[in-house]
Amino acid sequence: MIDPHVTIEPSILYLGTPVVLISTQNEDGTANLAPMSSAWWLGWRCMLGLQTASQTPQNMIRTGQCVLNLASPKQADAVNRLARLTGTETIPELKQRLGYAYEPSKFEVAGLTPIASQTVAAPRALECPIQLEAVVAAQHGIMDDDPQVAGLLSAFEVRITRVHVHPSLLMDGHENRIDPAKWQPLIMNFQKLYGVSSTEIVPSRLAEIEEKSYRMPDVDRARDVVLEPAGWCNASRDGFDPNRDLRLG
Ligand SMILES: Cc1cc2nc3c(=O)[nH]c(=O)nc-3n(C[C@H](O)[C@H](O)[C@H](O)COP(=O)(O)O)c2cc1C
């Protein structure tokens, strides 16, 4: 078969990831809210790719806490209102060139309502259908092998400490399952905002595995948490055994 592909050099490879509005607490106790989409999940952990100097990661480093508010297409306008705003008073040169402005009242500007979280100090965004309270477990450098970029980008591993879901997203007959046919993530696809279809393409073979087979110890760990103390640490790898098997479900 002839290979029809062409070889290209796109400047970005934002091939489609969900939009997350991260809320954090500023040094003066007020709330910051920022859209991002370099996010993916494993168990009750999420990895977040962020420009280290932005207000959000700085707040996460200082407090060790955040809330991941998942946007649906209904929050697309709010995401647009937050675009090119920053909670840092001194705007870095690149952001100045890209037209960023300082905005200390992001919830207000977005038209979203801050409500109290249960395990972290940062508030949740009421209108977002899924809100994940989280604490920072680790921070890793991204592109640290390139001296021009080293230190500028970070991947944060956060551990979810509470999951809040709008009841309309629950799978019928299951109090602890989100129905993928009902949850519609807002997707950033090459800087543009898209929804996803609720039509399942084919019955998934993977989905024949029961969800509870994937349940990690973090779920039970989170149950007893009332309010996480501020502060975080890079998880220790002492005693790590690569041949150890996961014992789940
Ligand atoms: C839809 C969308 C997705 C974004 N994704 C990211 C991202 O994944 N990582 C990042 O560092 N910035 C991302 N940004 C840019 C941040 O929102 C921007 O850096 C902002 O200034 C952060 O706010 P803060 O400085 O108050 O934390 C995204 C912006 C939008 C509108």
Side-chain angles (χ1 to χ4, degrees):
M1 198 165 102
I2 294 169
D3 175 6
H5 300 86
V6 291
T7 306
I8 64 168
E9 285 184 349
S11 295
I12 53 172
L13 290 168
Y14 297 156
L15 294 155
T17 43
V19 178
V20 181
L21 297 173
I22 305 185
S23 36
T24 51
Q25 194 176 48
N26 294 318
E27 213 155 2
D28 64 3
T30 59
N32 190 46
L33 186 66
M36 62 82 67
S37 70
S38 299
W40 50 269
W41 284 265
L42 193 62
W44 267 37
R45 305 278 169 137
C46 179
M47 293 299 296
L48 302 160
L50 294 166
Q51 216 179 312
T52 316
S54 295
Q55 188 66 19
T56 299
Q58 289 303 310
N59 286 344
M60 288 168 64
I61 290 166
R62 198 186 62 260
T63 65
Q65 305 183 343
C66 64
V67 181
L68 311 179
N69 303 281
L70 276 289
S72 78
K74 282 190 186 150
Q75 284 77 52
D77 286 338
V79 171
N80 256 340
R81 285 193 286 267
L82 290 168
R84 292 202 267 166
L85 295 180
T86 176
T88 51
E89 261 185 278
T90 314
I91 305 175
E93 204 188 301
L94 175 64
K95 276 192 173 165
Q96 283 184 31
R97 272 195 275 132
L98 299 177
Y100 273 79
Y102 167 59
E103 178 52 67
S105 309
K106 302 260 207 85
F107 269 94
E108 250 171 66
V109 169
L112 297 175
T113 316
I115 51 165
S117 297
Q118 292 176 1
T119 64
V120 296
R124 297 177 278 148
L126 174 66
E127 291 79 0
C128 290
I130 298 178
Q131 306 136 354
L132 309 173
E133 298 179 23
V135 293
V136 178
Q139 179 188 1
H140 312 271
I142 307 184
M143 297 184 212
D144 275 357
D145 55 348
D146 184 330
Q148 257 189 295
V149 193
L152 299 182
L153 300 170
S154 295
F156 288 87
E157 175 188 340
V158 300
R159 175 171 60 84
I160 308 304
T161 54
R162 197 112 320 156
V163 177
H164 306 269
V165 179
H166 195 278
S168 62
L169 301 183
L170 290 178
M171 191 175 279
D172 293 342
H174 295 268
E175 59 182 22
N176 282 309
R177 288 186 67 179
I178 293 170
D179 189 337
K182 296 176 181 168
W183 165 231
Q184 297 275 299
L186 179 68
I187 299 292
M188 192 188 85
N189 189 354
F190 287 92
Q191 297 197 87
K192 299 204 172 184
L193 302 174
Y194 287 83
V196 296
S197 157
S198 58
T199 311
E200 198 179 4
I201 312 291
V202 288
S204 163
R205 278 201 62 213
L206 188 70
E208 290 164 14
I209 299 171
E210 283 204 69
E211 269 192 25
K212 66 172 194 265
S213 315
Y214 297 107
R215 194 179 173 96
M216 298 291 266
D218 279 346
V219 184
D220 294 324
R221 186 173 169 185
R223 195 174 293 150
D224 296 330
V225 173
V226 182
L227 193 64
E228 286 279 350
W232 62 281
C233 61
N234 263 0
S236 162
R237 307 265 296 172
D238 287 352
F240 175 70
D241 171 7
N243 296 317
R244 206 173 89 245
D245 200 5
L246 277 174
R247 294 189 201 290
L248 304 172

